Amino acid sequence: MSVLILALLCGAVVGLALGALGGGGGVLAVPALVYLLGVAPADAGTMSLVVVTITSVTALARHAGTGNIRWRTGALFAAAGVAPAIGASVLAHRIPQALLTTAFAVLAAFAAVVMLRGLRAAHGARRSVASASPAAAPEQAVATAGSVRAGRTETPAVRAALRTAGTSTAAQDAGAPVRQDTGGAEAPSRSAVRAGHLRTAAAGAGLGAVTGLLGVGGGFLAVPALVSVLRLPMRKAVGTSLVVILINSVVSLATRMAAGGTSLDLAIFGPFVGAAVLGAWDGKRLAAKLSGAALQRTFAVVLLAMAVFMLIDAFV
């Protein structure tokens, strides 16, 4: 198979991942560039960031009109990762490649396991909501509804329970616990809100560091982080993660270019980027046809397969 055809195929898969899953482009791009297209490891991370940046803009444009993007949440989440992304980008060239590969694979596997466990928890929560009687056990129904929401699945029963509980969208955006309507009771304490902000900042900083260090957009961690920390439903997490990916990628790419530059093979880079952009548009159509659970399962399986492959390559 010629390099041109291989670059087109790899780019298309990366674009589909970004468009349909809101992430995974970088986690697929780096191994594809190194193992399939023969790009030097030093340039693969930088080239991956270029690809992820361009395809993220494309995917973001497709998601913009769906109402699945919380712009303020994504911007604040990404802002916390700017400084770590810069520092990690500078350190990326000083850390052995084998160590980076191992860390990359471990993080990908961890994210996949968390998402698969979330699927099981969501399935159990849905069954509890279906069997619970709102008149007999309202507290149980509301608590279960919150669990299902955290598991990225919203049924009509869940939405009704959440409305009864007085869910505060602003509190969700800030990462604070959900406020319940207690008949005039006080809003969440300042310490609770501050703890939510700290969790959001910590998660954003971690994603920025991962982006700068490993040369990926961070989408494979952004989606589960947005779900678990900010309690976003799966589809809103997918759309919002694109904002986080774009900001982190631009910052890391600019830092890498300023620190040492890179040499891009246009014979590989051009077809790869072009196919990725087209794939991102098709990926959005694919996302509209699949349920949130199907997207999550696909995402987790891809991450696990990639993690296993990279660990085998690093130690065998």
Side-chain angles (χ1 to χ4, degrees), residues 4-282:
L4 173 61
I5 295 177
L6 194 56
L8 288 171
L9 290 175
C10 292
V13 172
V14 170
L16 283 172
L18 271 169
L21 303 175
V27 75
L28 296 177
V30 172
L33 289 167
V34 173
Y35 299 118
L36 299 179
L37 296 172
V39 176
D43 295 332
T46 304
M47 187 181 294
S48 169
L49 287 174
V50 175
V51 173
V52 170
T53 298
I54 296 175
T55 53
S56 293
V57 172
T58 304
L60 196 59
R62 292 286 292 172
H63 280 267
T66 64
N68 288 332
I69 301 176
R70 292 189 178 177
W71 298 94
R72 181 174 176 272
T73 300
L76 292 175
F77 199 85
V82 169
I86 294 174
S89 297
V90 174
L91 292 175
H93 297 286
R94 303 181 182 181
I95 298 178
Q97 186 65 32
L99 181 59
L100 290 177
T101 300
T102 302
F104 185 95
V106 170
L107 282 173
F110 174 76
V113 170
V114 168
M115 296 189 78
L116 288 174
R117 290 182 62 185
L119 271 176
R120 282 203 302 261
H123 179 68
R126 284 197 304 270
R127 291 170 53 186
S128 298
V129 168
S131 61
S133 171
E139 293 183 0
Q140 179 184 357
V142 170
T144 307
S147 300
V148 175
R149 187 180 183 89
R152 298 169 289 286
T153 303
E154 292 186 4
T155 63
V158 171
R159 287 194 292 269
L162 288 172
R163 284 195 297 270
T164 302
T167 302
S168 170
T169 302
Q172 289 179 7
D173 284 348
V178 174
R179 180 177 61 84
Q180 296 185 354
D181 185 359
T182 56
E186 294 183 359
S189 65
R190 290 184 178 180
S191 60
V193 174
R194 188 180 300 112
H197 289 163
L198 289 175
R199 288 196 302 271
T200 301
L207 287 173
V210 168
T211 300
L213 192 64
L214 302 179
V216 299
F220 69 105
L221 291 176
V223 173
L226 288 169
V227 168
S228 61
V229 176
L230 300 185
R231 302 295 190 265
L232 294 185
M234 182 60 176
R235 291 192 183 279
K236 290 188 181 297
V238 167
T240 305
S241 73
L242 290 169
V243 179
V244 180
I245 293 169
L246 180 59
I247 295 175
N248 284 344
S249 297
V250 169
V251 170
S252 299
L253 179 60
T255 303
R256 281 173 174 248
M257 297 295 289
T262 187
S263 57
L264 299 179
D265 186 346
L266 295 181
I268 295 176
F269 179 71
F272 193 94
V273 173
V277 170
L278 294 176
W281 285 78
D282 289 335

